[in-house]
Amino acid sequence: MSDQPVHRADLRIDVGAIRHNARVLSARARESGAATMAIVKSDGYGHGAVTVGRAALESGADQLGVASLDEALQLRAAGITAPVFCWLYAVGDDFAPAIAEDVELSASSLEVLQRIEAAAAAQDRTARVHLKIDTGLSRSGCPADLWPALVEAAAKAEADGNVEVVAVWSHLACADELGHPSIDEQAERFRRAHEQARAAGLDPIRHLANSAAVLTRPDLHFELVRPGIAVYGLDPVPQDGDHDLRPAMTFRSSVALTKRIAAGESVSYGHTWTADRSTGLALVPVGYADGVPRTLSGRMSVWLAGRRRPVVGRVCMDQLVVDCGDDVVREGDEVLLFGPGDRGEPTAAEWADELGTIHYEIVTGMYRPRVTRTVEDPGA
């Protein structure tokens, strides 16, 4: 039995890595004179929003950003008092609790602005609002032809005392593709929208830069940047070189059973893999119900007993099988499915590359009912 902790399926969250990344990113922003909003939506990209939010704020971030009102209120309930910005709503969402908790809100349309204004007036409070312009991503954001009416209405609401327009903002579509022409096109549309807001009598700050732009486009830092995936140590622009980011999530398990099989025996459903020699197998009690994509069957390896070893046969709902050859592997030995790569283990980026997706999807989808999350904080 190994002296490692025995895990069925566990996400180890390295808070030291979060702190390091927040320091790296906020330092880049400060060089441009910008503040930093660390994005902790989707439960901190699967890492734990409260844990990440606190670590980022302690390490250079000035505020936090989330995608839903519930996420914002969760941060407030945990005692986080720093500015929190929320930008995405469902039809019928009630803005009143968020306004009561000083959550800053986005408005992409007259209708949303009016709802925010009414909720603030009912509480005799002033809502802090960021106006979003669609500069070419074509998701949320106000279309350019409707923007003059939105900024005029926002200026009136500000004069009435129900709204304070904090910022004008937008989001880049292709910042992770260095030199993509849309980046400068969006920046120019953003510049025009900001000028229109100022012409309407508003004095908002600007924020446009996501993680990729924080790392590669200091000219787009403006007064505030919004790093997301880079806070978690996953680089959106690895083609640009080493940005000194440290992945914070390790997915680990332990060997549940070992056995030997003879040459000619096959493994797992469909017998897609057959041993060409007598070999030792290790059963690991994680599968696609725990976040291991079935499509990685025959295409993945794990770190076990000091080296990478191939996963053989199909990944099942609850388990997978590792070919260990003649090496000594024991029940209880730690298995690293992915991590920062420091020991040679696979990384979330490798999984993403193999699957033809992005590492955002890998880490955000890992926190599941049977997967525990262990926070390790060397600085606590």
Side-chain angles (χ1 to χ4, degrees), residues 193-216:
H194 183 250
E195 286 182 352
Q196 288 175 301
R198 289 182 59 84
L202 301 171
D203 187 26
I205 66 168
R206 298 161 291 174
H207 54 100
L208 178 66
N210 56 5
S211 288
V214 172
L215 295 169
T216 64

Side-chain angles (χ1 to χ4, degrees), residues 70-116:
D70 285 345
E71 291 173 335
L73 295 174
Q74 177 194 27
L75 296 176
R76 287 288 187 250
I80 290 175
T81 59
V84 172
F85 173 54
C86 175
W87 64 83
L88 187 61
Y89 324 116
V91 174
D93 273 355
D94 183 3
F95 294 117
I99 293 170
E101 293 289 347
D102 294 319
V103 173
E104 300 180 8
L105 301 168
S106 178
S108 295
S109 68
L110 278 173
E111 188 271 337
V112 168
L113 177 66
Q114 290 164 355
R115 287 172 54 203
I116 293 171

